[in-house]
Amino acid sequence: MNLLLVFITIAVTIGAYLLSRFLSQRYPHPLVNVVFLSTAMIIAVFMVSGISISQYQPGQNMMTFFLGPATAALAIPLYRNRKILTENLISVVIGIVSGTTVNMATTVLVAKLLGLSKVTVISLAPKSVTVPIAVSISQFLDGDPSLTSVFVIATGILGTFLTPILLNLFKVTNPLARGIVYGTTAHGQGTATALAEGSVQGSMSGVAMGLAAIYTSFAAPFLVSRLLG
Amino acid sequence: MIHWLRVIPQITLLWVIYQSGNFLAKISHLPVPGNVLGMVLLFILLLTGVIPIAWVEDGADLLLKHLAFFFIPIAVGLMQWIGLFELSGVQLISAIFLGSSACILVMGTVSKIFAGIRSGKGGI
């Protein structure tokens, strides 16, 4: 293991992250996405300087170490919004279960019908779930974590455009309902958009994002194996 | 300013909870990733008051603020898959688009039915 190379790859990652974060705060737009920008910058630097993905691995392992505790930390927003959750428990649960099930089933079936490979189809299944959990679900089902992370971000970007358009088209005006849909369809990126709409939408979206992640991790193994079988 | 003396033990506690989730996943044979059980475990510990939120709050907020950073290294693994996007980009976007649209429409419909039952006249 070349220590200098590990140090350089980590420095490149931190640099790309800080620069992308600065750009996304300066030009706030769903397409100016921190993860997309950083990933593109890092891949460009590695390709130009001839660094391979296997040389990135040691640094990768060190940086993703915090993803585990960060996932546990997702319980905090859920706990802070527990009041809005318990007051609307039944509609929240039915909404998330129906939406998430239809989402996964449609995505997997369309991907399968369009002839995408098995690894790709599995990696698509948890696309509406927040990245750290989607990645674990993907690994668990023998999908590819890097593919899943990119599908999740793409879903988040698409969801932030699509959700308000479809909700307005179908005249869904209830702020609670709008919040649940944002969080279930477009995870953290949807929650940011929901917060911009209003605080009720934002809290509800945060709750939905956490619960949808938990439900998906229980439902995905069952659903994916049946749809692919 | 971040108070490292407070944040470091808090992140350590979150790490212990995460590892407990992994341990639970292993002994229970539940087909669920350990980190999800860690999250559920922390939620239960907070609800029951075993862990006061002040014990983990600052560390959790710091990790969540920079959540994107921790999965950028995973996304870089995409380097090996660039060919897939050239070959099947349209199929991938179709699957993502149709799945998300179906989700929004079903949830919108469900919420309308619920609002109808509650108000007794249908529609919101």
Side-chain angles (χ1 to χ4, degrees):
Chain A
M1 189 170 88
N2 186 336
L3 267 176
L4 181 67
L5 195 60
V6 174
F7 176 77
I8 291 171
T9 55
I10 293 179
V12 168
T13 311
I14 295 175
Y17 171 69
L18 293 177
L19 182 59
S20 311
R21 214 171 112 87
F22 169 76
L23 288 174
S24 76
Q25 281 165 353
R26 186 82 184 267
Y27 309 101
H29 187 274
L31 282 176
V32 188
N33 178 278
V34 176
V35 179
F36 267 167
L37 279 179
S38 317
T39 307
M41 286 179 201
I42 297 165
I43 291 181
V45 170
F46 286 3
M47 281 183 153
V48 169
S49 55
I51 296 171
S52 72
I53 195 72
S54 56
Q55 288 171 313
Y56 187 44
Q57 192 134 41
Q60 212 177 16
N61 291 342
M62 282 179 213
M63 287 181 280
T64 49
F65 173 82
F66 289 100
L67 211 45
T71 316
L74 287 169
I76 301 291
L78 203 56
Y79 177 74
R80 284 191 183 130
N81 295 312
R82 62 194 180 284
K83 196 159 167 271
I84 202 165
L85 168 65
T86 45
E87 280 166 359
N88 303 283
L89 193 63
I90 297 170
S91 41
V92 169
V93 169
I94 292 180
I96 288 171
V97 167
S98 59
T100 304
T101 309
V102 170
N103 193 350
M104 252 197 294
T106 312
T107 308
V108 168
L109 286 177
V110 169
K112 197 183 160 188
L113 286 175
L114 292 177
L116 292 168
S117 71
K118 199 177 168 194
V119 179
T120 314
V121 178
I122 294 174
S123 308
L124 272 167
K127 68 169 182 55
S128 281
V129 170
T130 181
V131 177
I133 295 179
V135 163
S136 314
I137 296 173
S138 179
Q139 265 166 339
F140 202 87
L141 301 174
D142 295 323
D144 183 90
S146 62
L147 277 184
T148 297
S149 65
V150 173
F151 295 154
V152 172
I153 308 298
T155 304
I157 292 176
L158 181 81
T160 51
F161 285 113
L162 198 61
T163 311
I165 295 174
L166 289 180
L167 287 179
N168 294 342
L169 198 67
F170 280 78
K171 299 190 172 63
V172 179
T173 49
N174 183 316
L176 290 169
R178 291 180 72 96
I180 305 177
V181 180
Y182 273 113
T184 310
T185 318
H187 51 91
Q189 287 155 270
T191 303
T193 316
L195 259 173
E197 244 188 59
S199 66
V200 176
Q201 288 92 322
S203 315
M204 202 64 242
S205 182
V207 166
M209 162 184 154
L211 292 182
I214 296 170
Y215 171 70
T216 306
S217 61
F218 277 89
F222 177 82
L223 210 63
V224 171
S225 66
R226 264 159 198 70
L227 291 171
L228 280 178
Chain B
M1 207 36 222
I2 303 161
H3 298 278
W4 290 104
L5 283 176
R6 197 162 66 230
V7 166
I8 292 170
Q10 294 199 353
I11 293 178
T12 310
L13 177 59
L14 289 169
W15 182 80
V16 170
I17 292 165
Y18 159 64
Q19 288 298 351
S20 313
N22 280 335
F23 177 72
L24 279 176
K26 209 168 164 186
I27 56 162
S28 67
H29 297 290
L30 278 172
V32 176
N35 61 358
V36 177
L37 292 184
M39 175 191 166
V40 175
L41 179 67
L42 178 58
F43 186 56
I44 294 171
L45 292 174
L46 288 169
L47 281 180
T48 51
V50 176
I51 290 183
I53 189 161
W55 286 10
V56 286
E57 199 163 34
D58 293 336
D61 285 338
L62 180 68
L63 289 179
L64 292 177
K65 188 177 163 201
H66 295 290
L67 188 59
F69 173 74
F70 304 115
F71 55 74
I72 288 168
I74 298 176
V76 174
L78 190 70
M79 261 172 101
Q80 301 156 293
W81 290 97
I82 290 175
L84 173 74
F85 288 86
E86 286 172 357
L87 204 72
S88 321
V90 178
Q91 287 93 318
L92 290 170
I93 292 175
S94 310
I96 293 176
F97 177 79
L98 292 173
S100 303
S101 307
C103 176
I104 300 168
L105 295 182
V106 166
M107 295 186 75
T109 312
V110 168
S111 76
K112 287 205 158 189
I113 297 171
F114 259 95
I117 294 170
R118 252 190 298 189
S119 66
K121 40 183 191 257
I124 303 173

